[in-house]
Structures are given as structure tokens and as C-alpha cells.
Amino acid sequence: MLDINTLREVPLFAKLSNKQLQWLLDEGVEVWRQPGEVHRSEGEPANHVFILLEGQIKITQKIGNQEILLAIYDAKTLFGELPVLMGQEYFWASGRAVTRCHIFQLTNKTFWEMLSSCTCVMTSILRTMAERLQEVQTISQHRDRLVSLGTLAAGLAHELNNPASACRRAAGQLRQTRQVLQPLTIKLNQQQMTCTQKVFVADLQKDAIARARTATKLDPIAQSDLEEEFVQWLETYAVNNPWKLAATFVTSGLDIEWLENVRKNIDEGLLYNILAWIEVTLQETGLLDEIDHCTARISTLIEAVKDYSYMDKAALQEIDVHEGIESTLTILNHKLKQTNVEVIREFDCEIPRIYAYGNELNQVWTNLIDNAIDALVLGTRDKSSQSPLPSPLSPIPKIWIRTSCENDFLFVEIADNGLGIAQEIQSHIFEPFFTTKGVGQGTGLGLHIVYRIVVGQHQGDIRLFSQPGDTRFQIRLPM
């Protein structure tokens, strides 16, 4: 049976008098938990604090499908006090017995009375609270970075897969095209042509390639009409495979006048061989251009990742804020496309470079833009779809990113036209562990981390203005 001597073994209560310990005994309740049994679950009312008398208990937080370990407490330890001390109504983490646990629990009312009447206990608890808060914030910050990295990596993998797949497809088609082009080239070289004709054919190839690279993309109707004209011309001169040739020639920006020029300068018996050779050459050139475009896109994405992470660069350095925002948008591009959110840039191109922690500021842009996307999806989507749908409040989900100079500060505003943040919670939005998301969907540290980076690390300022259809986060960084 629990007595005052057992309570006195708890370091927190070591200096309490027998009378005070007896009072705690009278007010508290003993409970036992078996290994694996949940003591309190995330989202339950935070109406008690607990003293672990025997056993071991682990504190976890569920984020999505993952359960994150925050702490493991051994016997003679106080736990569950953080939400109570921070005035939060619900536990933001769960406690589960690792071994058989003997737990002594106190109501919030008793806990506050103990703090007010026992100075030594209050001092010890506040010290412990500060240490635990720092530990939990550090763990959650690392975890948020990993989750953010996972989200960004998934989007980036999708972004990389598109050009990589297109590149592989084009390479396969190019291999097939080469198998056709080589015999055509050999056959053409075996034809009897004058030196003038050979020069003409060489120039013809160069001209066709040049036209193809500057060709204007036609609408389907115009493309079809022009192809029909080409087919009629080619059939008139008994050229084989007229539809195949016509499609390539029209796409490449050639015209009937170009065909007439070929016919006038080449013997009629060579017409098909030369046109077929030009058509395959244009296919080959188009595939090479596609491969070049795809590899350039992959290179751009990799460069954006390097810029985003400030790889191989010092922590504090002179940075261009616009470059950081653009690399963040590139990383988030898949999510933006998936949710049909339009981004409007209103940049002041005259703002100077500033000395800052580039990687940390990219965390700020990522958190704020990602939150804006989530807010727009939450406010406008059909529950069966991930993509926002039009609504009277927000016909087109939009995010505005604005930059300018304000006296000695660089000003960045990230705004969206979502449902907004309720007036009654706006003053709490930067507090640690405060979240508007459901259980298991957020740690409540994202905006707190943003605040610490902007205000604590950069001596800047961040403010929130929100009403339905207009939510704005305004950041000011010293120049």
C-alpha cells in the first residue's frame, strides 16, 4: 500500500513535510498498467498529471501512419505535466507502459495547489519542464524535417520520373530511328547525283532542321488541314507513305513551297528517297531535342535541390531570397500541380541580397507555402478528392508571394485565399504544440519553428493577418 515514505523516494517530493505528503496521498489515486497498455492517449483531456512510482513508460506522438518516440520515463518520475502547465486542454502525446507500471495521479486542481504552496516543487518542475520542452521541440523539429524531406522527396521523385521516363522513351525511339536512317543514307549515297545536287541535299537537310527548331505549334484543326495538303501533293508525285511524311513535315514547319523547291532541284526518281531521308532525319533531330530538354529538366531539379539545401555552402552567407523561394517552389511543384493551386509572384527585383541562414529560411518558405496549400485544399476540396474544387469563396485556389523593401527590412508576404484562421486562435498560432490539424496530422511545431528562425535566429519579425478569403503571413528580415 502506498505511504508517505514511498512518495518521499520521488526526488520531486523529497523536501516536502509529512503533512504535505499526506495531503497528496489523500488527493491522489493509484493506478496500475500492464506492459503494452495505454495509460493516456493523444487527444484525451489533459486533466491529470502523473508520478511513475514503478516501471517504465514511453511517450509517443502519432503523425500520419508513424508513431514517433518522444521520451521514455523510469520510476520516480513526473510526467504528463507539459500540457497542463501550458494550458492545453488535451494531451498531444500518448503514454504506454513498457513494463508493469505503478502510477500515482493527481488532478489538475491538486497539481496547481501543490505548485502554489510548495516552492521547492515548483522550482524543480519548471526546470524539468524547460528541459523537456527543449527535448521534445528538438525531436519534433528533426522529425518535421524528416517528414518534410519525405514529402518533398516523394514530389521530387515524381518530378524526376517524368523527364527520366520521357528521356528513356526517346532514347528507345532514337535507336529505332537510327536503324532506319543508316540504310536510307547508304542508299542515297549510291544514287547518281551531281555535285550541285549533293550540295543542295546537304543544305536541304540543314534548312529542314533549322525550320523544325523554330516551328510554331499548330492547333489540331490547322495541323490536320495542312497535312491533307501535303498528302495531296505527295500523292500527285507518287511519293510512298504520304501520311507518314506529311505529319512530320507539317510538325517541322515545312510548307508546299519547300516541297516544290525540292522537286525542281532533284530528279523525280530521287524524290522519295530524299524526302524519306529528310523525314527520318527530322525524327532523329526531334528525339535528340527531346532528350536534351528532359536532361535539362532533370539538371534543373537537381540544381534546385542543391540550392534549397544550400549544399556545400556556409550556414551564414549572403543570399538572394528570391532564389530560395524559387527553389522551394520547384521542390513543392508536384504538390502544387496535384492540388491545382496557382502561385502568383509579385517580386521586387531591386531588393538586395542579405546575410542569412539560407537553409533555415527555406524551411520557413516551405512551412508557410505548404500550410497555405493544405489550407486551400481543406477549404475547397470535395471529400472524395485531393484536388480543390471551385467554391463561391475561392473559385481558383491561389497563393501570392510578394517581396519588397521596407526601410531597413526585407519584406516577404505569403498569402492565400483559403478559409482563413479563426480570430480566437490567431494569437496562439506561433505557440509550441498548438495545431489546428487533427490528431496525428501535425506536431504543432511548424509555425513555432518558423517563428524561432525568423525572430530568434534572424532578429526579424513575423505577423499574421487573416480573414475568410485572405490569410497573410508577413516576414521582415533585417538587411
Side-chain angles (χ1 to χ4, degrees):
M1 182 177 176
L2 186 61
D3 56 28
I4 61 174
N5 291 325
T6 305
L7 278 186
R8 197 181 296 280
E9 292 175 5
V10 178
L12 181 66
F13 300 147
K15 295 181 180 181
L16 296 184
S17 66
N18 289 346
K19 182 179 179 181
Q20 290 171 319
L21 290 173
Q22 186 59 53
W23 174 73
L24 286 176
L25 277 177
D26 295 339
E27 294 291 330
V29 175
E30 295 176 80
V31 295
W32 286 262
R33 301 296 182 208
Q34 298 304 314
E37 185 178 357
V38 174
H39 175 59
R40 285 291 189 278
S41 295
E42 183 177 350
E44 288 187 17
N47 49 17
H48 287 84
V49 296
F50 315 100
I51 296 91
L52 182 60
L53 299 174
E54 296 176 13
Q56 191 177 66
I57 197 161
K58 65 178 181 180
I59 308 300
T60 60
Q61 187 179 48
K62 190 171 184 181
I63 306 295
N65 294 323
Q66 286 186 310
E67 193 170 69
I68 310 299
L69 178 64
L70 299 181
I72 294 180
Y73 295 134
D74 294 314
K76 318 301 184 196
T77 305
L78 174 77
F79 69 97
E81 81 288 356
L82 282 181
V84 177
L85 290 169
M86 296 173 68
Q88 295 178 345
E89 293 184 40
Y90 305 99
F91 288 112
W92 38 262
S94 300
R96 184 186 298 271
V98 178
T99 61
R100 187 176 186 275
C101 293
H102 182 194
I103 299 170
F104 185 61
Q105 60 185 36
L106 301 170
T107 65
N108 290 359
K109 179 176 178 294
T110 303
F111 179 67
W112 284 112
E113 287 181 17
M114 178 180 68
L115 288 184
S116 62
S117 60
C118 308
T119 307
C120 59
V121 171
M122 180 176 66
T123 303
S124 177
I125 286 177
L126 291 178
R127 185 186 304 114
T128 302
M129 174 191 174
E131 293 171 356
R132 287 182 178 175
L133 190 59
Q134 183 61 45
E135 290 172 2
V136 172
Q137 285 181 352
T138 300
I139 292 170
S140 294
Q141 185 169 355
H142 285 314
R143 180 255 150 215
D144 271 5
R145 284 182 177 179
L146 288 173
V147 170
S148 177
L149 181 61
T151 302
L152 298 180
L156 185 63
H158 189 280
E159 288 290 300
L160 284 170
N161 184 60
N162 287 340
S165 297
C167 192
R168 185 177 181 181
R169 183 171 58 251
Q173 292 173 343
L174 181 63
R175 191 175 293 110
Q176 295 173 0
T177 302
R178 293 292 294 174
Q179 292 174 354
V180 175
L181 182 61
Q182 287 177 344
L184 280 175
T185 304
I186 293 171
K187 186 175 181 179
L188 196 60
N189 284 331
Q190 293 172 342
Q191 302 294 323
Q192 297 296 319
M193 287 190 291
T194 65
C195 291
T196 303
Q197 287 177 325
K198 288 180 179 179
V199 171
F200 173 77
V201 170
D203 290 341
L204 189 68
Q205 181 192 47
K206 293 178 184 177
D207 177 62
I209 291 172
R211 288 180 180 231
R213 285 181 170 155
T214 58
T216 303
K217 185 174 177 62
L218 302 174
D219 64 73
I221 295 177
Q223 174 88 11
S224 178
D225 290 345
L226 201 51
E227 284 180 15
E228 182 66 35
E229 289 183 36
F230 269 71
V231 169
Q232 290 177 4
W233 189 95
L234 293 167
E235 288 178 340
T236 300
Y237 295 98
V239 176
N240 295 333
N241 300 319
W243 281 106
K244 183 173 182 292
L245 298 180
T248 302
F249 289 162
V250 172
T251 301
S252 301
L254 307 185
D255 52 30
I256 300 297
E257 184 180 346
W258 183 87
L259 288 176
E260 287 291 347
N261 184 45
V262 177
R263 186 183 65 80
K264 291 175 182 177
N265 287 277
I266 294 295
D267 295 342
E268 192 169 325
L270 296 175
L271 185 59
Y272 169 69
N273 288 337
I274 289 174
L275 291 180
W277 180 70
I278 292 292
E279 191 267 340
V280 177
T281 300
L282 289 172
Q283 282 191 39
E284 180 187 56
T285 302
L287 291 169
L288 286 171
D289 288 344
E290 184 177 352
I291 290 172
D292 182 63
H293 173 76
C294 291
T295 53
R297 175 60 180 162
I298 291 171
S299 179
T300 299
L301 288 168
I302 292 172
E303 193 63 32
V305 172
K306 290 178 67 177
D307 289 343
Y308 179 83
S309 62
Y310 281 81
M311 192 182 299
D312 303 325
K313 297 180 182 178
L316 180 64
Q317 60 179 297
E318 191 177 62
I319 67 163
D320 183 335
V321 168
H322 291 155
E323 289 179 1
I325 293 173
E326 288 295 348
S327 64
T328 301
L329 289 171
T330 299
I331 297 294
L332 288 171
N333 187 54
H334 174 60
K335 187 171 184 178
L336 287 164
K337 289 193 297 186
Q338 193 178 41
T339 53
N340 296 326
V341 174
E342 178 184 352
V343 176
I344 301 170
R345 299 164 176 82
E346 297 179 4
F347 291 169
D348 178 357
C349 297
E350 301 299 320
I351 64 172
R353 299 169 70 88
I354 63 170
Y355 277 94
Y357 296 91
N359 191 27
E360 282 75 4
L361 281 183
N362 283 347
Q363 275 188 265
V364 171
W365 316 138
T366 301
N367 266 315
L368 294 179
I369 295 171
D370 196 43
N371 280 353
I373 297 171
D374 289 343
L376 288 167
V377 171
L378 180 66
T380 60
R381 77 179 178 190
D382 179 348
K383 294 187 184 297
S384 63
S385 169
Q386 182 65 19
S387 182
L389 297 174
S391 73
L393 180 62
S394 177
I396 301 176
K398 293 182 181 180
I399 294 174
W400 289 265
I401 305 176
R402 306 178 178 104
T403 63
S404 62
C405 289
E406 283 189 357
N407 300 320
D408 296 329
F409 290 90
L410 188 151
F411 175 80
V412 180
E413 182 177 78
I414 296 175
D416 67 74
N417 61 344
L419 294 178
I421 300 170
Q423 185 71 38
E424 60 269 19
I425 67 172
Q426 290 184 22
S427 60
H428 303 287
I429 206 72
F430 297 112
E431 293 177 3
F433 307 109
F434 182 84
T435 179
T436 58
K437 298 178 180 178
V439 174
Q441 295 181 335
T443 61
L445 282 173
L447 289 177
H448 177 63
I449 292 168
V450 166
Y451 183 88
R452 287 176 60 187
I453 292 172
V454 173
V455 178
Q457 200 166 13
H458 290 87
Q459 288 74 55
D461 176 65
I462 181 168
R463 301 178 188 181
L464 165 67
F465 300 92
S466 184
Q467 60 184 9
D470 182 19
T471 295
R472 291 172 284 147
F473 283 91
Q474 296 180 343
I475 297 99
R476 290 171 177 82
L477 300 167
M479 291 191 292

